[in-house]
Amino acid sequence: MHDLLIKNASLPDGQRGIDILIRNGNISAIGPAIYADGIPQIDAAGDLVCSPFVDAHFHMDAVLSYGLPRVNESGTLLEGIALWGELKPLLTKEALISRALKYCEWAISQGLLAIRSHVDICDPRLLAVEALLEVRDRMKEFIDIQLVAFPQDGLLRSSGAHAQLIRALDMGVDVIGGIPHFERTMSAGAQSVQVLCRLAAERGLMVDMHCDESDDPMSRHIESLCEQTIHYGLQGKVAGSHLTSMHSMDNYYVSKLLPLMKESGVAAIANPLINITLQGRHDSYPKRRGMTRVPELLEYQIPVAFGHDCVMDPWYSLGSGDMLEVASMGLHVAQLTSQKGMRACFEAVTTAPAEIMGLSQFGLRPGCEGSLVMLDAGDPVEALRLKPVRRYVIRRGRVIAKTEVPRTRLMLGEDASNISRRFND
């Protein structure tokens, strides 16, 4: 384990001139003027130090497969699903591992040290499950990977999916997933939610379902998910991902839905880059953008995280693993431009997803894991504006990525004479 002292850091809560002492890989003290002899030190020089970036919704089995076997020309969710179906028979374990490892390198360089990845279990070979379990093990010293057993083709719609999901859990997959809106009927979707929540209760596992990823305001599986969460006592262990139908629901129904979500403890995971790309494809103008009602969810104190979802795969041709890009898009689409709103967007890619995923070891307090990111920015709002380089990425007190940057960033309120002195230095 590693020791490290970070001096003169700015923290996300606005504290400045703070030192962070890491002993044996864990944070042992945070405060001004901490002294510790004989251990490595890093001068933050006023830069922002935060807990690691966390991606609560991703598909690592599909990452970096863009163009295989062809490109999604329509840009729709359904063509992406069809494309993935064409690609699955061509997958090899070696290719899955290679692409996932490459993405892990990208993620680490960006300070992204925890990912919840859905893995398709509808291939009877379970190649993707085998591959990502191996990647999880190989990368555990650098990045936490939480796997979700995801029946991409529908738990009830796809022959053998239920048995394959059980096999995936027995192999070591962490979380139970689902996709009720992709079942053949609304009633089948509700049934799938009930089956999966009962299984989660029996096994003591968390649940994260693709839920209502649709422009259809009548896609209301989120209410079934909330009801089954309460029924099986899963409060605080369930997340609904996407929830894009909420964008199209009438306000009266949402006024009933939000209290139900609050009561059930179901968290919301929006995926700003993908939601605004895939949704509204059947609209002319006005054109819906699809992202769920993030401001209203936050107002109800419902936990909200942002996920990257896709990087260069059948659904999305772009992406780099930069969670600040995700947060920035979420900020713009949700019009969360107040100081409080912008800070909530920063939290949606750091502390909020860590809490939803049960990563209690992540945080800026004594006893937490000494895993931190130092950004070339002074505060969360500036980080969202600039999407700056990560000066240091630290895992349990060990520097695992580093970028040298010229100290020329203009701090808020800094005058030109200070800037000239920096250039002269």
Side-chain angles (χ1 to χ4, degrees):
M1 302 298 279
H2 298 270
D3 297 340
L4 182 66
L5 178 61
I6 299 172
K7 302 288 291 183
N8 193 27
S10 297
L11 302 187
D13 64 5
Q15 294 185 75
R16 296 186 180 277
I18 300 299
D19 298 345
I20 304 171
L21 178 62
I22 300 172
R23 292 280 196 187
N24 296 318
N26 293 319
I27 297 174
S28 64
I30 298 179
I34 295 174
Y35 296 97
D37 294 331
I39 67 172
Q41 296 190 13
I42 296 173
D43 182 9
D47 277 345
L48 177 65
V49 175
C50 64
S51 56
F53 293 106
V54 177
D55 185 353
H57 187 102
F58 195 66
H59 291 265
M60 198 175 289
D61 50 359
V63 72
L64 304 183
S65 64
Y66 179 70
L68 300 175
R70 57 186 176 83
V71 170
N72 184 340
E73 294 293 345
S74 70
T76 62
L77 171 66
L78 293 180
E79 185 176 354
I81 293 173
L83 257 174
W84 177 243
E86 294 173 24
L87 178 57
K88 271 195 283 190
L90 308 177
L91 294 173
T92 65
K93 182 178 175 181
E94 294 72 25
L96 286 160
I97 290 172
S98 176
R99 289 194 288 263
L101 289 175
K102 173 60 70 175
Y103 184 72
C104 286
E105 293 176 3
W106 291 12
I108 292 164
S109 72
Q110 302 278 13
L112 172 53
L113 299 188
I115 298 173
R116 173 180 278 182
S117 176
H118 297 253
V119 53
D120 187 3
I121 55 84
C122 287
D123 179 354
R125 301 171 298 169
L126 293 183
L127 280 185
V129 174
E130 291 182 3
L132 293 191
L133 284 170
E134 182 170 332
V135 170
R136 183 181 70 180
D137 185 64
R138 287 170 63 171
M139 298 303 296
K140 64 185 177 183
E141 294 301 312
F142 303 97
I143 187 169
D144 291 314
I145 298 174
Q146 196 176 83
L147 298 177
V148 183
F150 176 49
Q152 173 72 79
D153 300 329
L155 181 75
L156 305 179
R157 183 174 181 171
S158 177
S159 176
H162 187 274
Q164 286 150 211
L165 187 141
I166 297 293
R167 283 172 53 206
L169 296 176
D170 290 342
M171 291 166 67
V173 172
D174 310 283
V175 181
I176 292 175
I179 186 168
H181 57 278
F182 197 63
E183 301 292 352
R184 288 190 175 90
T185 65
M186 291 291 287
S187 60
Q191 182 184 351
S192 75
V193 172
Q194 190 271 334
V195 168
L196 292 165
C197 285
R198 182 180 62 202
L199 180 62
E202 291 170 352
R203 291 193 170 228
L205 298 177
M206 292 184 288
V207 175
D208 188 340
M209 289 195 194
H210 287 60
C211 199
D212 302 325
E213 189 181 2
S214 169
D215 292 325
D216 179 6
M218 300 309 294
S219 183
R220 297 178 174 183
H221 294 291
I222 179 59
E223 67 179 10
S224 296
L225 183 58
C226 292
E227 193 275 333
Q228 294 297 331
T229 296
I230 295 169
H231 178 75
Y232 286 107
L234 296 170
Q235 292 93 331
K237 300 177 68 175
V238 177
S241 287
H242 293 290
L243 303 177
T244 58
S245 67
M246 286 181 67
H247 184 92
S248 300
M249 291 173 182
D250 67 84
N251 290 335
Y252 176 72
Y253 177 73
V254 173
S255 75
K256 298 196 318 181
L257 178 59
L258 291 173
L260 177 60
M261 292 183 68
K262 176 69 172 177
E263 178 189 358
S264 69
V266 171
I269 302 174
N271 299 288
L273 297 173
I274 310 307
N275 295 153
I276 68 163
T277 300
L278 297 181
Q279 307 313 129
R281 289 282 180 165
H282 297 284
D283 294 351
S284 54
Y285 289 95
K287 182 182 285 287
R288 290 169 291 179
R289 303 315 305 273
M291 193 174 77
T292 194
R293 298 188 182 214
V294 172
E296 291 86 350
L297 290 162
L298 290 172
E299 186 66 25
Y300 255 84
Q301 298 182 324
I302 294 167
V304 176
F306 291 157
H308 205 311
D309 197 4
C310 304
V311 170
M312 298 183 68
D313 67 11
W315 294 273
Y316 189 60
S317 57
L318 304 171
S320 65
D322 184 353
M323 295 306 293
L324 283 175
E325 180 185 12
V326 175
S328 177
M329 185 62 75
L331 182 161
H332 285 85
V333 176
Q335 299 178 328
L336 286 165
T337 52
S338 68
Q339 287 289 312
K340 180 180 178 181
M342 289 188 285
R343 290 178 181 275
C345 289
F346 187 83
E347 292 169 1
V349 294
T350 52
T351 55
E355 182 176 349
I356 290 169
M357 291 170 59
L359 301 176
S360 59
Q361 75 273 24
F362 280 9
L364 285 176
R365 57 187 183 276
C368 286
E369 184 178 287
S371 295
L372 308 165
V373 181
M374 185 185 300
L375 299 160
D376 188 28
D379 58 54
V381 173
E382 189 175 51
L384 287 166
R385 180 173 66 87
L386 298 177
K387 301 176 210 44
V389 300
R390 285 58 167 164
R391 286 184 59 200
Y392 290 90
V393 179
I394 298 163
R395 173 76 164 179
R396 301 191 184 107
R398 172 189 174 195
V399 175
I400 59 173
K402 178 181 176 181
T403 304
E404 296 287 353
V405 294
R407 307 306 299 140
T408 57
R409 178 175 57 79
L410 178 61
M411 297 289 289
L412 186 64
E414 189 173 24
D415 62 31
S417 61
N418 284 337
I419 295 297
S420 64
R421 283 197 294 273
R422 282 205 219 162
F423 275 114
N424 291 333
D425 290 343

